[in-house]
Amino acid sequence: MPTRIICRRLAGRSCSVAAFCTRTKVPGKRVSFGKAEEDPSFRKAEKSSKPAATLRLWKPPGYSVSFRPSAYTGAKRVPDEDASRGLDGGSPESDYTRIGAGQVQNTYSITCSRRLSSTKNALPDLESGKFLSVQADSTQTGKLDLAEDNGEAADVEAHDPKEDPRAFQKQRPEYEELSYNRYKLPPPLSVEEGSRILQDVAVFKSSLKPHTIAGHLFRLSGLPVEEHESLKSNARFAMLCHCAVESVQLFDLPELITVLKAFIHLAIPPNHSVLKAYESECCRRAWDMGLDRLLLVADLWRCLGRSVPRYLEIALSYVNLHWQELSLPQLVQLIYIIGEGRKAPEDLMKKLDALVLKHLNALNLEEVGTVCLGFFKSSHGLSEHTMRKIGDKVSARMAEMSDYALVNVLKMYRYTHVDHLEFLKQLGTVVPPRIPAIGTQGVMHITLACSALHYRNERILDAVASSVPSRAAYCRSKDVAKFLWSFGCLNYEPPNAEEFYACLERQLRTKLHEFQRFPEHLLTSLLALAFAERFPEDLIGCALSPKFLKLIGGGKLDLKKDLFTLDGTVEIECPGYTGHRLALELKQEVTEALWNSAQKDIFTKPEVKEALSLLEDMLGGPQYVKHHMVLPHTRSADLEIRLDPGRKPLPFHSEAAAVKLESKEDGVSLTEDLMHQLLKGRSRNPSPADNVESKDEPCIQKTSLQEERSLSTWDHLVFSDGVPLTGAILDALTKSETSCDVPDSQPKGQHLGGARLAVQVSNRNQYSYHSKHLLGLHQLKRRQLRQIGYTVVELPFWEWFPLLRRSRSEKLSYLHHKIFDSVL
């Protein structure tokens, strides 16, 4: 007979109750975990069974019941906080207290707007079935997606599908206790057995014990994968999760771990509120877990795809006090977890560095790769000593190493900038044949590591260049930028240069929309193309446009430097360019910042300080040498010298000359001792001043004996018997006013008949490793200096650095030869 339900208004809450009916099980029909009202057999059973009680809402005068689509499974997606209300409101068991065992097939749906507390009552969002199905599909792809919790994105990297970042866990049986084995699935469960479990939940939910709840969840996770979606949209499963949250503090640690494993098998979305309750409970118990389970729980959260920074912070605090107890597998697993969490305390990482060195001989190659990747991802470097030991170990067995592990080791070499010659030699032998089989991102990291280490290996670069055209369409904007930068930075043009650059330029145009999120990738690409003397004017116009400048914002100085370099390059090398240019105010801002940095060279680089001092003495005073940036956009300073057509120096300003003249005599007396020193290279009676001079010479980093022998091209300039007494030297010694009589400010074209010299005091960082090939930026600078009329005078490090330990006369002789012979 019809029944009426009287609904009363309660302050602060509004409820809607969906009708429910009973039905009998139809033999031979498959049990579904979906909604009963969607099952066509539901109505048949309703007609063929005994009269069922039908609930109808009674609507008193003046009362209305609001319709809420989110109360029904299958409704459109709703926000997490609304979905979580599905089981938050009231006690669902009140609706079941009068239902007998024969009515367990009933379905229900209850919604309430009441909020409960965050941890104990953070109940699941499982009512909105459609929402969960979409989330479940995205998590079953085999990759961990970025999740968001409390406004923070989970920093989970999508790895190359060809590589397994957890492969090291297969190397030792000890990892079974420290990590989740995704290949060890729960016992398979049939749909009928799953239905019986859910039936028990509906009947005995108020008396379910914690171990029973954990067992039910784990057994249900053994259902066929195709049934998981309908399971998660089932109301009884929502009730089971409700019970699991309410009992979370009653679980013992093995039961808690069992539930987390079940959630992994069922692919519960990482931002689901049920996981928030379990995260809080794990944080509460972290100090009592012990090292093994502390690492296991961290790995379970990693597999769930949820970022748990608070738990990791507590776990690392515990490890920091017990780091000496770490076994080798625990150490490697910990470093893996730290890498996935992206941060760790500096003092802890130093302790782990010491442990890595201690266990290095026992580590296998996959574990070495994992250690390097963990340190790299957490933005911490291994010590130089440890990196050299790793280089020794890997060099001996590089051919046995997996591509993934090798790329990870390269990342750490790139981060630390430690050079290991034997490692690089083996790299040039092992890597080229492997390039076609390595994933695109792996190839990118190999190329970028070569660039960062300034390792110009033609075999590797040619193999990369030949593989890029076929995989260009699969490159991200980041990959395109890094490929271009690596070749441009190393100043290397591959045999298939036209095809290589053409396919990557096409990808830049195709991926223009990506640069709205990553503008730095477009600037990196265009600078690299400029190094290679390639100027796609449409892309340059886009990068210099006001719209693009807004993307960069006001605080990113590095990107402004890139724009400034690009703009200055276009001005010199693209005279026909008519597109956008940078505003003068921005240029002045960046120039000032660059000059403040470049000025430090004269104080921090002894080779520059010594060259400047000697050139001033040789030419007659500081007014003849100008230390400034001839081309500010190239980011480094020069020593500029001007010579007239007769090869005499021209001053830049009169103030310095006046100061110099006031402190000078009318000439220098040519004593017998001075003549002997000039002609023989030493004084017959050494004075105390000579000893002071030798002590005050700058201390320069020592060059290896092998490098000095192989790069001793300056030896023919050293005169052991003294310096030739030329007319120019005698004139400079005896006539102090000769060179100073030149007007201090020259008209713009007056020196055009002479020469403008840009002296470059170079160092190893401007050249490829163990070679005399200039890197891209420095080659671009010298090219542009020549284009605007300068003569580039290079003081290469393999000549100038050894001379810094020689006598003053030898250094003056070398500089005289370099300066005046350059304009012959």
Side-chain angles (χ1 to χ4, degrees):
M1 78 182 170
T3 304
R4 292 180 178 178
I5 295 179
I6 300 177
C7 297
R8 297 180 180 178
R9 293 185 179 181
L10 299 178
R13 60 184 292 184
S14 62
C15 298
S16 61
V17 182
F20 65 91
C21 302
T22 59
R23 65 184 177 94
T24 58
K25 183 176 178 180
V26 181
K29 296 290 184 179
R30 183 178 180 179
V31 180
S32 172
F33 294 115
K35 299 168 292 183
E37 50 266 43
E38 293 179 351
D39 191 343
S41 63
F42 176 78
R43 295 181 179 176
K44 295 180 181 179
E46 188 179 57
K47 294 179 181 179
S48 59
S49 303
K50 296 180 181 180
T54 304
L55 299 181
R56 297 180 181 177
L57 294 179
W58 173 53
K59 182 179 178 182
Y63 183 78
S64 63
V65 178
S66 60
F67 172 70
R68 294 188 56 188
S70 62
Y72 300 90
T73 57
K76 64 180 183 180
R77 175 175 176 169
V78 295
D80 289 348
E81 63 176 16
D82 290 336
S84 64
R85 296 170 187 164
L87 297 178
D88 281 353
S91 174
E93 65 185 58
S94 62
D95 296 281
Y96 278 82
T97 53
R98 296 186 178 90
I99 302 177
Q103 296 173 312
V104 294
Q105 294 292 334
N106 298 339
T107 62
Y108 73 97
S109 178
I110 302 175
T111 62
C112 181
S113 62
R114 180 167 59 87
R115 293 176 179 269
L116 299 180
S117 60
S118 58
T119 303
K120 182 178 179 180
N121 298 305
L123 300 177
D125 306 331
L126 292 167
E127 184 171 0
S128 180
K130 185 175 180 180
F131 167 67
L132 277 176
S133 2
V134 173
Q135 291 285 358
D137 289 343
S138 65
T139 55
Q140 290 174 5
T141 59
K143 294 184 180 180
L144 299 173
D145 297 330
L146 290 176
E148 194 163 318
D149 181 48
N150 294 330
E152 294 184 2
D155 195 4
V156 181
E157 180 178 323
H159 295 282
D160 191 320
K162 292 185 179 180
E163 306 292 349
D164 182 7
R166 303 166 65 86
F168 73 96
Q169 295 171 349
K170 304 174 185 176
Q171 304 294 315
R172 300 177 191 269
E174 293 89 340
Y175 288 116
E176 287 283 341
E177 301 297 324
L178 308 174
S179 61
Y180 167 73
N181 186 352
R182 58 185 168 184
Y183 300 106
K184 190 175 180 180
L185 300 176
L189 184 74
S190 67
V191 175
E192 288 74 15
E193 290 175 315
S195 179
R196 283 195 291 271
I197 291 175
L198 292 179
Q199 177 178 328
D200 291 342
V201 169
V203 176
F204 304 111
K205 61 184 179 302
S206 58
S207 59
L208 289 175
K209 302 297 182 183
H211 70 274
T212 305
I213 296 172
H216 284 344
L217 284 170
F218 189 74
R219 290 188 64 197
L220 287 171
S221 67
L223 284 167
V225 175
E226 59 271 15
E227 296 293 334
H228 286 181
E229 182 178 348
S230 59
L231 172 68
K232 287 181 289 187
S233 64
N234 185 276
R236 296 190 193 91
F237 182 74
M239 178 179 291
L240 180 60
C241 290
H242 185 155
C243 296
V245 171
E246 288 187 329
S247 304
V248 66
Q249 295 185 1
L250 303 177
F251 290 129
D252 60 25
L253 189 54
E255 291 167 352
L256 189 68
I257 291 172
T258 297
V259 173
L260 290 177
K261 288 181 178 180
F263 289 157
I264 295 173
H265 300 150
L266 293 171
I268 298 297
N271 58 345
H272 203 273
S273 65
V274 69
L275 297 183
K276 188 174 182 179
Y278 277 80
E279 179 186 349
S280 299
E281 183 62 18
C282 289
C283 291
R284 188 179 68 85
R285 300 191 190 192
W287 280 90
D288 301 322
M289 289 184 182
L291 284 171
D292 280 0
R293 287 179 172 174
L294 201 68
L295 295 173
L296 172 59
V297 170
D299 196 57
L300 293 175
W301 285 114
R302 166 64 184 161
C303 294
L304 280 165
R306 183 179 176 88
S307 176
V308 286
R310 177 61 182 157
Y311 174 79
L312 292 180
E313 181 182 351
I314 298 172
L316 295 182
S317 298
Y318 178 88
V319 172
N320 211 354
L321 297 177
H322 301 84
W323 65 278
Q324 291 179 319
E325 303 171 16
L326 290 169
S327 65
L328 187 151
Q330 288 174 337
L331 173 65
V332 178
Q333 179 69 13
L334 173 64
I335 294 174
Y336 166 74
I337 293 297
I338 288 174
E340 301 310 311
R342 298 301 196 270
K343 63 179 181 180
E346 181 70 29
D347 60 331
L348 174 61
M349 298 308 289
K350 289 181 179 178
K351 296 172 183 176
L352 298 184
D353 187 340
L355 286 179
V356 169
L357 188 60
K358 175 183 175 181
H359 292 291
L360 185 58
N361 290 335
L363 291 174
N364 59 50
L365 295 177
E366 291 300 321
E367 291 171 327
V368 170
T370 300
V371 167
C372 289
L373 182 63
F375 271 79
F376 175 81
K377 283 186 173 183
S378 62
S379 300
H380 291 90
L382 290 161
S383 65
E384 180 177 352
H385 181 61
T386 304
M387 288 306 300
R388 295 204 179 279
K389 291 295 184 180
I390 288 176
D392 294 340
K393 182 182 182 74
V394 172
S395 300
R397 300 172 55 195
M398 189 179 292
E400 306 170 20
M401 204 169 193
S402 72
D403 298 336
Y404 186 72
L406 181 57
V407 168
N408 292 339
V409 173
L410 272 174
K411 287 180 180 179
M412 184 46 57
Y413 271 107
R414 182 180 105 207
Y415 184 85
T416 57
H417 286 89
V418 174
D419 63 313
H420 191 293
L421 186 57
E422 184 58 30
F423 175 83
L424 294 176
K425 286 181 179 178
Q426 289 297 320
L427 194 71
T429 302
V430 172
V431 166
R434 295 190 183 187
I435 291 293
I438 299 177
T440 299
Q441 294 181 35
V443 175
M444 180 272 288
H445 282 297
I446 291 172
T447 315
L448 190 59
C450 290
S451 170
L453 296 171
H454 298 171
Y455 183 51
R456 194 175 188 263
N457 185 287
E458 295 186 3
R459 289 191 62 200
I460 294 177
L461 295 176
D462 287 347
V464 171
S466 63
S467 73
V468 163
S470 62
R471 66 174 84 207
Y474 305 101
C475 291
R476 305 165 299 172
S477 60
K478 176 181 178 180
D479 301 326
V480 174
K482 300 307 182 185
F483 279 130
L484 288 172
W485 177 259
S486 300
F487 280 79
C489 176
L490 292 171
N491 193 21
Y492 180 72
E493 186 170 280
N496 63 332
E498 293 303 322
E499 181 187 18
F500 174 78
Y501 284 109
C503 72
L504 292 179
E505 282 186 36
R506 282 195 300 270
Q507 290 307 309
L508 289 178
R509 294 182 175 91
T510 302
K511 294 175 168 56
L512 274 177
H513 62 282
E514 293 186 26
F515 300 132
Q516 294 184 6
R517 289 188 60 198
F518 309 105
E520 64 275 13
H521 295 162
L522 179 59
L523 291 179
T524 298
S525 302
L526 293 177
L527 284 179
L529 289 170
F531 296 163
E533 298 185 73
R534 298 172 185 272
F535 305 97
E537 294 190 1
D538 57 330
L539 295 174
I540 292 173
C542 176
L544 298 178
S545 66
K547 183 178 179 181
F548 191 81
L549 291 177
K550 289 181 181 179
L551 293 176
I552 292 177
K556 299 181 179 179
L557 180 59
D558 288 340
L559 295 184
K560 290 180 180 179
K561 290 178 183 179
D562 291 346
L563 281 171
F564 184 46
T565 301
L566 181 62
D567 183 81
T569 296
V570 168
E571 181 178 2
I572 295 173
E573 302 204 45
C574 302
Y577 174 78
T578 58
H580 295 288
R581 296 292 303 278
L582 293 185
L584 180 61
E585 294 78 8
L586 180 58
K587 293 181 184 180
Q588 291 174 342
E589 175 192 346
V590 180
T591 299
E592 182 179 357
L594 290 172
W595 173 238
N596 290 337
S597 175
Q599 275 184 305
K600 298 177 183 177
D601 287 357
I602 193 64
F603 303 110
T604 60
K605 295 185 177 179
E607 66 273 17
V608 179
K609 183 177 181 180
E610 183 75 353
L612 177 60
S613 175
L614 291 171
L615 286 172
E616 288 176 350
D617 292 346
M618 184 181 76
L619 297 174
Q623 69 271 25
Y624 296 105
V625 185
K626 187 175 182 181
H627 180 244
H628 71 126
M629 293 191 294
V630 177
L631 297 174
H633 66 275
T634 58
R635 310 185 189 189
S636 57
D638 313 88
L639 303 178
E640 183 177 356
I641 298 171
R642 293 181 181 179
L643 302 178
D644 67 10
R647 296 199 301 167
K648 291 185 178 180
L650 300 173
F652 287 92
H653 40 74
S654 58
E655 294 179 3
V659 172
K660 192 75 173 180
L661 286 174
E662 289 176 6
S663 64
K664 281 194 174 185
E665 301 288 344
D666 290 338
V668 179
S669 300
L670 290 178
T671 64
E672 181 181 356
D673 188 71
L674 178 59
M675 290 297 296
H676 186 275
Q677 183 178 358
L678 286 169
L679 294 172
K680 299 298 182 182
R682 61 180 63 86
S683 174
R684 291 180 299 177
N685 301 311
S687 64
D690 296 330
N691 296 331
V692 172
E693 179 184 332
S694 63
K695 290 179 182 178
D696 290 341
E697 285 192 0
C699 181
I700 306 299
Q701 181 181 0
K702 292 184 178 180
T703 308
S704 65
L705 180 61
Q706 180 180 0
E707 192 171 18
E708 281 197 31
R709 289 175 178 173
S710 61
L711 301 175
S712 58
T713 58
W714 46 268
D715 283 344
H716 67 283
L717 302 173
V718 178
F719 302 95
S720 59
D721 293 333
V723 180
L725 194 60
T726 63
I729 294 180
L730 284 173
D731 188 58
L733 289 168
T734 58
K735 298 179 181 180
S736 61
E737 295 183 359
T738 301
S739 58
C740 297
D741 290 337
V742 182
D744 42 69
S745 58
Q746 302 292 333
K748 186 174 181 179
Q750 183 171 337
H751 61 273
L752 293 180
R756 292 181 296 174
L757 310 182
V759 180
Q760 310 293 304
V761 185
S762 65
N763 56 61
R764 289 175 178 80
N765 290 333
Q766 298 178 6
Y767 293 85
S768 298
Y769 183 69
H770 272 216
S771 78
K772 298 180 183 179
H773 294 285
L774 274 169
L775 298 178
L777 177 62
H778 306 286
Q779 182 65 34
L780 173 139
K781 176 181 178 178
R782 286 150 180 75
R783 183 175 75 232
Q784 293 180 5
L785 284 171
R786 295 187 184 97
Q787 289 180 3
I788 62 174
Y790 278 84
T791 299
V792 178
V793 178
E794 191 85 33
L795 304 184
F797 71 89
W798 58 86
E799 295 178 2
W800 183 237
F801 278 31
L803 267 176
L804 293 174
R805 297 193 297 272
R806 302 299 183 93
S807 68
R808 179 181 176 84
S809 61
E810 290 174 318
K811 289 180 278 191
L812 285 170
S813 175
Y814 171 81
L815 291 174
H816 185 276
H817 165 77
K818 280 286 186 180
I819 297 301
F820 293 102
D821 286 4
S822 65
V823 292
L824 287 177

